[in-house]
């Protein structure tokens, strides 16, 4: 057994073996996998192992597409069979919403060269004659869909890794993982210790327990999950081909051929948690007692759709454990607080994602960053709020319950699920609810999305315009015509103070930090591959003190970048997000409204755009910044959390004279899209180069900063695509009663040219708008945006429709 390795993978399921294999494919051969039992122990061996390519997330679709194509290559490379069956998959839509989802996925498949398209009923009946297609609105066909053999795939990854020099140690439990002063780790096992710079936790059902060895708490919870396999069905036995699988997600079951029978699985409403106190260490190739009564409703829907299910006997039942994160996505990435510790835990569709997941992990560890923006998978999307205290533990458990019971529920644009909330609230929370606020969730914080006429309202969900569309329009109109008050407390806020604060910030950010006290600047944070890892507003408060504002949901993600540049002794960089709250007051009357509450002059000559001052507002000490994400005249006002309610009440009272009031996050989305402003996680991500998003002018190449060499390389290149603002034809959007929301493909003359990143109706300009990336398209050109998966005419705008010269912003 080796005593040193470049990386140690803990866990010998399909994901751990894929990670090991991909590490070797990218050049690391001195790597080790440690498994406490036999390979595939845990949840791998009993998986249904279905494979499919399409997902609501474009990048997850790319990863699944890669995985599906990898298995046959893996067979040829290793000589180990993967049991690949790809008879295709039929996707059925019983509802209008499911039809919208499938048509949008088909449009994405066309854009990215994936094989997924609509077929008529006659063709569907030829492909799968045992299905009753009555009541089906739309049928999509994925020719490459199917299933694999769980053990075969895992062994193929293991064989390939061994062939490339990796070592696999079975029946060797990990006892401890100890961080060393030099940044490496000692992995203690029953058979000896290994020193390594990288520990990779891919321990599946034991992911929580392995993480706890390093003092890490992960938001994970196992559940039971059942499927059954029927006896031989004569109609199938008589066929000379394998039947495609059936994805009838409105029926809440999955179904495919297994042998000469059918495999049927379900995610039932009456779900069961397992191992809430910890996964037993002696659990391996074990199953639970059958409990088919729990999935009876799902079975009946499967029988209604495929009647032969009801005539066949049941050959065997599999009731085994799965382990879930709160949103059913993997927890992937380096732990920001633990150098050299990488997590890959909580995987549900493991055999659709195993190859791509292993590749992403290997890229991140060896190259420093993945090729795709995978923030929906990043473990940093959850903080301690999701694991600690009663609220955190309830959040994880109830979110897992919701995810399991609604596994096949459509994730609609702008959807906000209520399970497990509220976790974190601010002092104004109750008042906002009394005012009719409908709340959303942002990194654990409750924040107002929009304001209903009466308290207690909630969102409706769908791909079309929903119940909040008109109220949000009223909020936008109020702000644009008078003034509005937006709670921005969920923005991340940091303070850097000390004699070397300026030097350190210049070493982190691409722009030059403000020289004069009271001045602000915008600055990108550059990723390892030269893309946009973040965008921040930095304000100089004093000679030795700076204030930094960024994306709230990305605070833990950005910690990795801040930690990459050691802060000089005597200089402190700290997060103030929890202890400081804020409001944006914007609109043409905002100056007059605020002037009533302060003796400080807010005139342009005394308080110009991109400046800051510490002022007293309604008796509250406030840091006031002359910036506004609305694109309108406005100020950001930051105060201590203890003063938030007092300040908010004063702002609301002063606003009454102007018929001004609260504005939510949905309106802010509309207002910033009218102005063409990008947002982190949508327009700004590590995938996009500075020149593609218009931020290259903020990368000051005459100084050193984090990942400067990478951005210098990409700035030499021509843009692959560019960010644009699109105006969708009003008649078309009115006819479909929908706006773009993000992810919709863009075509020109039938050829894919880009995709939407954000979309909203611009109420103050009377336009349905979308931000996105395109290639080979000029300003003024007409394109087709696939709203609801159908072509909607749109024009590429040369400038934003609201205040294109920025005169209102600087007034």
């Amino acid at each position: 057994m080796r005593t040193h390795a470049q990386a140690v993978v803990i866990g010998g399921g399909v994901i751990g073996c894929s990670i090991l294999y991909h590490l070797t494919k990218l050049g690391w051969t001195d790597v080790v996998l440690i498994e406490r039992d036999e390979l595939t122990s845990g949840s791998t061996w009993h998986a249904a192992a279905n494979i499919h390519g399409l997902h609501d997330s474009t990048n997850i679709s790319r990863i699944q597409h890669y995985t599906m194509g990898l298995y046959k290559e893996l067979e040829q490379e290793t000589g180990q069979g993967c049991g690949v069956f790809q008879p295709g998959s039929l996707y059925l839509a019983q509802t209008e919403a499911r039809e919208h989802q499938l048509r949008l996925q088909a449009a994405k498949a066309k854009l990215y060269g994936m094989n997924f398209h609509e077929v008529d009923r006659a063709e569907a009946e030829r492909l799968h004659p045992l299905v009753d297609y009555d009541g089906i609105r739309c049928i999509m066909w994925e020719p490459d869909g199917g299933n694999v053999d769980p053990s075969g795939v895992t062994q193929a990854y293991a064989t390939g890794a061994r062939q490339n020099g990796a070592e696999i140690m079975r029946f060797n439990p990990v006892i401890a993982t100890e961080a060393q002063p030099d940044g490496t780790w000692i992995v203690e096992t029953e058979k000896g210790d290994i020193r390594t710079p990288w520990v990779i936790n891919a321990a599946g059902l034991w992911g929580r327990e392995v993480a706890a060895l390093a003092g890490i708490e992960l938001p994970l919870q196992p559940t039971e999950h059942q499927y059954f396999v029927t006896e031989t069905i004569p109609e199938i036995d008589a066929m000379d081909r394998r039947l495609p699988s059936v994805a009838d997600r409105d029926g809440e079951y999955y179904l495919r051929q297994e042998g000469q029978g059918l495999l049927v699985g379900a995610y039932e409403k009456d779900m069961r948690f397992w191992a809430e106190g910890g996964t037993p260490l002696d659990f391996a190739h074990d199953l639970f007692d059958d409990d088919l009564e729990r999935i009876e409703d799902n079975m009946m829907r499967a029988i209604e759709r495929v009647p032969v299910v009801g005539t066949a006997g049941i050959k065997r039942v599999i009731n085994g454990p799965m382990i879930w994160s709160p949103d059913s996505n993997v927890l992937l990435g380096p732990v920001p607080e633990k150098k050299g510790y990488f997590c890959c835990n909580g995987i549900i569709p493991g055999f659709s994602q195993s190859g791509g997941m292993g590749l992403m992990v290997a890229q991140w560890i060896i190259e420093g960053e993945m090729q795709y923006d995978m923030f929906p998978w990043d473990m940093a999307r959850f903080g301690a709020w999701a694991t600690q205290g009663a609220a955190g533990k309830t959040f994880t458990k109830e979110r897992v319950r919701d995810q399991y019971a609604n596994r096949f529920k459509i994730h609609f644009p702008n959807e906000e699920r209520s399970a497990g909330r509220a976790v974190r609230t601010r002092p104004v929370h109750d008042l906002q609810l009394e005012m009719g606020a409908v709340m959303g969730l942002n990194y654990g914080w409750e924040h107002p999305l929009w304001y209903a006429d009466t308290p207690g309202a909630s969102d409706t969900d769908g791909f079309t315009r929903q119940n909040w569309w008109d109220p949000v329009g009223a909020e936008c109109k109020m702000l644009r015509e008078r003034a509005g008050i937006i709670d921005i407390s969920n923005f991340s806020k940091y303070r850097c103070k000390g004699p070397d604060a300026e030097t350190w910030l210049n070493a982190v950010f691409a722009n030059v930090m403000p020289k004069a006290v009271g001045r602000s600047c915008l600055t990108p944070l550059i990723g390892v591959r030269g893309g946009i890892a973040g965008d921040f507003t930095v304000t100089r408060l004093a000679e030795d003190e700076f204030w930094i504002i960024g994306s709230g949901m990305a605070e833990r993600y950005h910690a990795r970048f801040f930690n990459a540049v050691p802060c000089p002794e005597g200089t402190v960089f700290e997060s103030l997000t929890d202890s400081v709250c804020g409001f944006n007051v914007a609109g043409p009357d905002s100056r007059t409204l605020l002037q009533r509450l302060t003796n400080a002059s807010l005139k342009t000559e005394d308080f110009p755009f991109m400046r800051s001052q510490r002022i007293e507002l309604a008796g509250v000490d406030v840091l006031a910044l002359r910036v506004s994400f609305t694109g309108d005249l406005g100020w950001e006002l930051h105060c201590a959390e203890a003063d938030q309610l007092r300040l908010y009440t004063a702002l609301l009272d002063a606003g009454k004279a102007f018929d001004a009031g609260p504005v939510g996050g949905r309106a802010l989305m509309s207002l910033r899209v009218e102005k063409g402003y990008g947002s982190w996680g949508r327009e700004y991500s590590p995938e996009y180069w500075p020149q593609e998003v218009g931020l290259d002018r903020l990368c000051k190449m005459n100084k050193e900063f984090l990942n400067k060499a990478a951005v210098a390389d990409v700035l030499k290149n021509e843009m692959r695509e560019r960010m644009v603002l699109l105006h969708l034809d009003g008649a078309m959007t009115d006819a479909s009663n929908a706006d773009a929301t993000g992810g919709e493909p863009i075509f020109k003359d039938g050829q894919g040219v880009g995709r939407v990143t954000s979309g909203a109706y611009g109420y103050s300009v009377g336009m349905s708008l979308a931000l996105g990336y395109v290639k080979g398209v000029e300003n003024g050109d007409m394109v087709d945006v696939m709203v609801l998966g159908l072509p909607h005419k749109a024009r590429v705008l040369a400038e934003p429709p609201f205040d294109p010269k920025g005169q209102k912003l600087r007034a």
Side-chain angles (χ1 to χ4, degrees):
M1 177 175 168
R2 303 179 194 184
T3 58
H4 292 76
Q6 291 168 293
V8 173
V9 180
I10 302 174
V14 65
I15 301 301
C17 289
S18 174
I19 292 170
L20 190 74
Y21 168 79
H22 281 92
L23 286 170
T24 66
K25 294 296 285 186
L26 266 62
W28 280 17
T29 57
D30 186 15
V31 288
V32 176
L33 183 146
I34 301 174
E35 164 56 41
R36 54 177 293 279
D37 200 272
E38 180 58 271
L39 298 184
T40 77
S41 298
S43 57
T44 292
W45 73 272
H46 62 73
N50 299 321
I51 57 174
H52 58 277
L54 270 293
H55 191 280
D56 289 337
S57 164
T58 296
N59 280 348
I60 294 177
S61 292
R62 287 168 163 167
I63 280 167
Q64 294 183 173
H65 194 249
Y66 165 80
T67 301
M68 290 173 68
L70 177 65
Y71 289 135
K72 289 184 179 179
E73 296 177 15
L74 199 58
E75 287 183 327
Q76 294 178 350
E77 178 184 339
T78 65
Q80 166 68 49
C82 292
V84 181
F85 295 99
Q86 291 180 288
S89 298
L90 288 166
Y91 292 75
L92 313 180
Q94 296 186 40
T95 64
E96 182 182 51
R98 187 71 65 179
E99 182 178 359
H100 291 332
Q101 182 194 39
L102 293 181
R103 292 196 185 284
L104 182 56
Q105 289 184 339
K108 290 180 181 180
K110 181 181 177 182
L111 177 66
Y112 294 105
M114 301 175 186
N115 203 349
F116 184 91
H117 59 270
E118 187 172 6
V119 294
D120 60 21
R121 177 166 179 165
E123 176 63 7
E125 288 175 338
R126 185 192 70 79
L127 290 166
H128 202 313
L130 303 183
V131 174
D132 180 354
Y133 295 94
D134 285 352
I136 299 300
R137 300 171 58 99
C138 169
I139 307 168
M140 292 291 174
W141 170 239
E142 183 180 28
D144 297 328
N147 64 282
V148 293
D149 169 40
S151 179
V153 168
T154 305
Q155 295 296 340
Y157 282 134
T159 299
R162 287 190 182 106
Q163 289 174 348
N164 293 331
E167 181 179 1
I168 295 176
M169 295 292 297
R170 299 173 299 152
F171 306 105
N172 187 24
V174 172
I175 300 169
T177 54
E178 298 289 342
Q180 303 303 299
D182 64 355
T184 63
W185 290 81
I186 298 294
V187 179
E188 299 180 22
T189 79
E190 288 188 351
K191 297 179 180 179
D193 299 346
I194 306 177
R195 182 183 289 270
T196 180
W198 280 104
V199 174
I200 304 169
N201 178 355
L205 293 173
W206 295 269
R208 295 173 299 175
E209 287 70 30
V210 169
L213 294 176
I216 300 164
E217 195 168 4
L218 296 178
L220 294 167
Q221 173 59 52
T223 69
E224 297 183 16
H225 176 64
Q226 293 185 98
Y227 65 82
F228 65 88
V229 178
T230 72
E231 301 281 359
T232 294
I233 295 173
E235 292 88 340
I236 296 177
D237 192 39
M239 290 185 177
D240 59 358
R241 61 183 175 87
R242 192 175 180 89
L243 289 170
S245 60
V246 176
D248 180 12
R249 290 168 176 169
D250 292 320
E252 297 185 312
Y253 64 88
Y254 56 86
L255 180 150
R256 67 164 172 83
Q257 185 173 337
E258 175 74 4
Q260 300 307 306
L262 291 172
L263 180 153
V264 183
Y267 293 92
E268 70 279 11
K269 302 299 183 188
D270 185 19
M271 56 83 67
R272 294 289 185 273
F273 293 114
W274 178 69
E276 291 185 56
T279 304
L281 296 180
D282 59 352
F283 190 89
H285 289 80
D286 299 279
L287 293 172
F288 310 128
D289 293 338
D290 305 347
D291 191 3
L292 288 180
E293 288 186 5
R294 289 213 320 270
I295 66 170
E296 184 175 356
D297 291 345
N298 309 68
M299 291 170 59
M300 295 307 296
R301 289 190 290 270
I303 291 169
E304 183 179 358
R305 185 61 57 200
V306 186
V308 295
V309 174
T311 63
I314 294 177
K315 183 178 181 179
R316 69 177 183 273
V317 178
I318 301 294
N319 186 12
M322 308 170 76
I323 189 163
W324 300 69
S325 74
D327 59 6
S328 75
N329 279 335
V330 61
L331 302 177
L332 183 143
V335 177
E337 302 80 17
K338 301 279 186 179
K339 177 179 171 60
Y341 196 101
F342 200 104
C343 287
C344 191
N345 305 99
I347 301 99
I348 300 302
F351 288 90
S352 286
Q353 297 176 352
S354 70
M357 199 172 290
L359 177 62
M360 293 299 103
V361 173
Q363 285 181 350
W364 202 334
I365 288 175
I366 295 175
E367 300 171 4
E369 192 173 271
M370 299 178 290
Q371 69 186 89
Y372 299 133
D373 173 20
M374 296 303 301
F375 187 75
W377 279 6
D378 196 322
M379 61 92 61
R381 70 190 184 274
F382 296 109
W385 53 267
T387 58
Q388 296 179 4
K393 295 183 186 306
T394 297
F395 173 83
T396 292
K397 182 177 178 180
E398 293 309 311
R399 290 302 256 213
V400 168
R401 185 197 304 276
D402 179 70
Q403 289 293 326
Y404 184 97
N406 296 289
R407 175 63 177 156
F408 293 136
K409 182 179 183 293
I410 297 170
H411 285 273
F412 290 108
N414 301 300
E415 179 185 71
E416 295 280 349
R417 294 190 179 181
S418 61
R421 293 166 54 190
V423 184
R424 299 202 288 179
T425 61
R426 303 284 191 179
V428 298
H429 176 258
D430 290 347
L431 174 59
Q432 288 170 335
L433 290 179
E434 292 172 8
M435 296 164 60
V438 177
M439 293 291 182
L441 186 71
N442 186 297
Y443 198 61
W445 292 109
E446 296 290 315
H447 68 109
L449 296 172
W450 59 283
Y451 288 83
D453 290 338
T454 56
S458 59
D459 283 339
T460 59
D461 291 324
F463 290 99
T464 56
R465 294 168 181 166
Q466 296 299 304
N467 65 332
W468 50 267
W469 196 84
D470 285 328
V472 167
E475 293 173 24
C476 290
K477 183 178 179 181
M478 175 180 65
L479 186 145
R480 288 288 193 230
E481 294 180 358
R482 300 181 297 280
I485 304 161
I486 307 171
D487 188 342
I488 56 169
S489 299
N490 56 331
F491 288 10
S492 64
K493 297 167 287 288
Y494 313 89
R495 179 170 55 202
C496 188
K497 183 176 175 61
D500 295 313
E502 179 181 1
T503 301
W504 184 76
L505 290 171
N506 271 319
V508 172
F509 293 119
N511 202 354
V512 175
M513 295 301 100
K515 290 293 185 182
V517 173
R519 287 185 176 267
S520 303
C521 77
L522 303 177
T523 180
L525 180 69
I526 300 299
V528 171
R529 298 177 186 266
I532 304 296
D535 65 308
F536 294 81
T537 301
V538 182
T539 298
R540 188 166 202 145
L541 301 182
E543 288 301 322
D544 65 345
E545 183 178 4
F546 292 81
W547 185 273
I548 303 101
I549 298 173
S551 170
M553 68 177 180
E555 181 161 342
R556 197 176 180 206
Y557 165 87
H558 284 141
R560 298 190 186 107
F561 295 87
F562 297 138
N563 293 340
V565 181
C567 202
E569 187 175 349
T571 295
V572 175
F573 178 76
E574 60 182 338
S575 170
L576 300 178
T577 305
D578 292 0
S579 60
V580 172
C581 298
F583 300 101
N584 177 207
V585 180
D589 291 337
S590 59
R591 175 181 283 117
T592 310
L593 186 159
L594 292 173
Q595 195 66 77
R596 294 187 173 196
L597 301 175
T598 182
N599 291 324
S601 174
L602 303 181
K603 294 179 180 178
T604 303
E605 57 268 28
D606 298 320
F607 206 143
F609 182 61
M610 292 298 285
R611 300 293 193 274
S612 71
Q613 294 181 31
R614 291 190 184 277
I615 65 174
E616 186 176 283
L617 199 71
V620 174
D621 290 329
V622 166
L623 172 62
L625 307 179
R626 177 77 193 278
V627 294
S628 177
F629 203 32
T630 66
D632 218 317
L633 171 68
W635 281 260
E636 287 186 6
L637 310 167
H638 300 277
C639 68
E641 185 182 56
D643 293 326
Q644 187 199 26
L645 183 57
R646 180 181 175 188
L647 177 60
Y648 193 44
T649 303
L651 292 172
L652 292 171
D653 288 344
K656 292 176 182 177
F658 302 90
D659 196 18
V663 170
R666 295 258 170 85
L668 182 58
M669 165 75 86
S670 170
L671 298 167
R672 66 107 177 159
V673 170
E674 288 181 343
K675 188 63 176 166
Y677 286 161
S679 174
W680 190 88
R682 290 176 175 266
E683 288 71 44
Y684 302 152
S685 92
E687 283 190 51
Y688 305 130
W689 295 343
Q691 64 268 42
E692 294 169 344
V693 302
L695 296 181
D696 49 323
R697 61 187 174 81
L698 301 181
C699 297
K700 305 305 184 184
M701 306 306 291
N702 59 348
K703 74 178 185 82
E704 295 301 316
F705 57 88
L706 187 64
N707 299 319
K708 177 185 175 181
V711 83
D713 286 340
V714 302
L715 287 175
K716 296 174 186 175
N717 302 327
E718 294 292 326
M719 289 188 290
R720 301 161 299 180
E721 52 192 1
R722 67 187 180 102
M723 189 175 82
V724 297
L725 184 59
L726 302 156
H727 171 208
L728 280 70
D729 182 84
M732 290 295 291
T733 50
D734 288 344
S736 63
N737 192 33
D739 302 287
T741 57
E744 294 88 351
I746 302 171
F747 291 88
K748 182 183 179 186
D749 301 327
Q751 300 297 312
V753 294
R755 70 263 175 225
V756 172
T757 49
S758 294
Y761 189 79
Y763 298 92
S764 66
V765 295
M767 295 180 176
S768 185
L769 298 168
L771 282 164
Y773 285 89
V774 297
K775 57 185 176 182
V777 176
E778 302 298 326
N779 292 341
D781 285 356
M782 296 298 296
V783 295
D784 289 314
V785 178
M786 304 299 286
V787 178
L788 307 182
L790 300 172
H792 288 62
K793 293 294 180 186
R795 185 178 300 279
V796 179
L797 299 178
E799 59 184 16
F802 177 78
D803 190 27
K805 306 304 180 186
Q807 294 172 337
K808 296 179 184 293
L809 191 66
R810 293 170 172 80

